[in-house]
Amino acid sequence: THKGLWMSLQFESDVLAKKIAATCVENGIITDWFLFAEDRIRIAPPLCITMEELKLAVEKIIASIQHAIKK
């Protein structure tokens, strides 16, 4: 779900979402899960983010998901 640049990604379980959130943090992406929807991670980049920075962030999030799934 999203509103502007405020988004969340939903996963099959809260355990997986927490692994992905931790891996994102290790990769330099600040994120967390929601207290009321623990199977989701939040994405809220600043409105001044450049397209280049956004692409890099998305690449890091995808890599974090792939890494967490392999664990």
Side-chain angles (χ1 to χ4, degrees), residues 19-29 58-70:
K19 280 184 187 179
I20 292 169
T23 306
C24 281
V25 170
E26 290 171 12
N27 290 329
I29 301 295
V58 169
E59 288 172 6
K60 287 184 176 185
I61 292 168
I62 291 169
S64 297
I65 292 168
Q66 291 170 338
H67 181 76
I69 288 172
K70 290 179 185 177

Side-chain angles (χ1 to χ4, degrees), residues 20-43:
I20 292 169
T23 306
C24 281
V25 170
E26 290 171 12
N27 290 329
I29 301 295
I30 299 171
T31 189
D32 204 355
W33 61 89
F34 291 95
L35 292 176
F36 62 88
E38 292 184 14
D39 62 340
R40 296 172 184 245
I41 63 169
R42 68 179 77 212
I43 301 170

Side-chain angles (χ1 to χ4, degrees), residues 29 50-62:
I29 301 295
T50 66
M51 188 58 72
E52 189 174 305
E53 292 169 325
L54 191 55
K55 287 178 183 178
L56 179 60
V58 169
E59 288 172 6
K60 287 184 176 185
I61 292 168
I62 291 169

Side-chain angles (χ1 to χ4, degrees), residues 4-18:
L5 292 181
W6 183 275
M7 300 184 164
S8 70
L9 297 174
Q10 185 174 17
F11 299 97
E12 62 187 39
S13 71
D14 60 329
V15 173
L16 181 58
K18 289 176 183 179

